[in-house]
Amino acid sequence: MPELPEVETYARYFARHALNQRIASVNVIDERILGEVRKETFVRKLKGCTFTSVRRHGKHFFADAGATWLHLHFGMTGDLAYYRDTPPRFAKIVFAFDGGMHLAFEDVRLFGLADLVDSPDDFIRERGLGPDPLDRAFTPKRFAALLEGRRGAIKSLLMTQEIIAGLGNLYVDEVLYQTAIHPRRPVHRLKDAEVQTVFATIRRILRESIARQARDAELPGAFLFHHREVGERCPRCGGTIRRTVVFGRTTYFCAKHQR
DNA sequence: TTCCATGTTCCGCA
DNA sequence: TTGCGGAACATGGA
């Protein structure tokens, strides 16, 4: 489930297992997972290299391979698997390291992406991505400035990667649920205090989720996360959970306490 | 069989 | 310019 907490968890997994080992071979099992780079170039530039560090910005992951950076986006169903013998069923790219271990980038639906970039910073700038909400430079003031002068639904803005990078459908619903704001509320109708609460809640929820390694079962039971079902009882106020569509995405909210 | 899905992009319209 | 609805992409699972 790749939103920011999941990608952060993958980044830590990658760093824990796949750094400082020489890449003996690169197997691109399905070329459709590649972005701009050609298969031959992808293999040639990574074979023999060593990943030395990782970075994450929003839902984008980067690994330093020396002369180039591996760039991964996990789409809807991307995942990583470090293993010795048996590749995961939906492996699309496999890196084999000296010593016999492997790292697979797997993705059932192929909405993910693997590519090479010269510089993550340039990529982030060229793509126009907004700040990462866990970055130090992301302050309450900056957040308020990002929303300034906009008129769309709060959910739409929080989902837009060019405004804030990393939140997706589930976590935006979670943030608005916990701040008692209706997903369709126009952003210019938010009070200053509410904007500050949204800022603080984004950071708290992301940190809590990362601390639990973004595993569904370990997220607090009071999270909307566990109650995404029409007619479900809201654990916070006893109201009824409803479903609607905002920004083209299925949206769950409590009809009673989210206004 | 039908519907739905944690993401992104592109097009048309207001 | 901004915002939004809809469609498309590819595929498994309920």
Side-chain angles (χ1 to χ4, degrees):
Chain A
M1 8 182 320
E3 297 185 36
L4 190 154
E6 291 78 20
V7 179
E8 176 65 24
T9 300
Y10 296 156
R12 293 180 184 188
Y13 180 85
F14 191 110
R16 192 161 65 246
H17 295 299
L19 297 187
N20 308 315
Q21 302 187 66
R22 184 180 164 276
I23 302 166
S25 68
V26 180
N27 182 13
V28 179
I29 295 162
D30 190 333
E31 293 188 46
R32 293 176 297 173
I33 199 70
L34 295 177
E36 315 250 298
V37 68
R38 286 174 55 246
K39 177 176 171 179
E40 293 70 26
T41 309
F42 186 82
V43 172
R44 174 170 50 78
K45 285 196 168 181
L46 291 176
K47 190 174 172 182
C49 294
T50 299
F51 295 120
T52 55
S53 67
V54 301
R55 271 191 63 179
R56 180 194 57 72
H57 186 97
K59 301 172 191 170
H60 295 266
F61 168 85
F62 307 92
D64 188 353
T68 188
W69 288 75
L70 170 67
H71 168 215
L72 298 179
H73 190 287
F74 294 87
M76 297 266 268
T77 52
D79 203 349
L80 296 175
Y82 186 69
Y83 65 95
R84 180 173 292 281
D85 298 317
T86 311
R89 185 174 163 201
F90 298 108
K92 296 294 186 273
I93 295 176
V94 171
F95 299 96
F97 299 107
D98 284 355
M101 296 303 287
H102 304 81
L103 181 77
F105 176 46
E106 46 181 325
D107 186 6
V108 175
R109 286 173 66 187
L110 283 167
F111 287 179
L113 168 88
D115 214 339
L116 297 179
V117 296
D118 291 336
S119 150
D121 287 325
D122 288 351
F123 173 85
I124 291 160
R125 194 176 324 113
E126 286 161 19
R127 176 65 71 92
L129 291 175
D132 185 285
L134 294 185
D135 197 282
R136 277 185 191 170
F138 186 65
T139 60
K141 199 177 251 185
R142 176 109 190 258
F143 180 60
L146 288 167
L147 303 185
E148 188 79 39
R150 298 188 177 269
R151 306 185 68 79
I154 180 65
K155 170 156 182 172
S156 306
L157 297 187
L158 295 180
M159 292 272 298
T160 300
Q161 303 299 299
E162 289 71 28
I163 296 176
I164 305 176
L167 298 178
N169 197 35
L170 266 56
Y171 281 93
V172 167
D173 278 5
E174 192 66 53
V175 167
L176 296 176
Y177 172 82
Q178 294 194 25
T179 51
I181 296 169
H182 193 288
R184 249 192 258 281
R185 177 112 67 92
V187 69
H188 66 278
R189 296 267 178 73
L190 264 64
K191 298 173 189 139
D192 289 349
E194 286 179 314
V195 172
Q196 298 312 304
T197 305
V198 171
F199 172 86
T201 304
I202 288 172
R203 304 253 283 202
R204 176 175 53 75
I205 288 175
L206 293 178
R207 289 202 173 110
E208 280 182 40
S209 302
I210 290 168
R212 290 166 174 78
Q213 299 179 13
R215 285 195 197 117
D216 315 9
E218 295 177 28
L219 295 177
F223 270 31
L224 172 66
F225 204 90
H226 299 292
H227 308 275
R228 295 177 70 82
E229 190 103 26
V230 174
E232 187 101 344
R233 173 71 59 87
C234 169
R236 171 167 163 161
C237 76
T240 306
I241 301 300
R242 292 233 180 99
R243 179 172 69 188
T244 182
V245 173
V246 181
F247 201 56
R249 308 303 302 277
T250 301
T251 300
Y252 292 90
F253 67 103
C254 171
K256 188 173 172 190
H257 84 261
Q258 288 181 256
R259 296 301 165 102

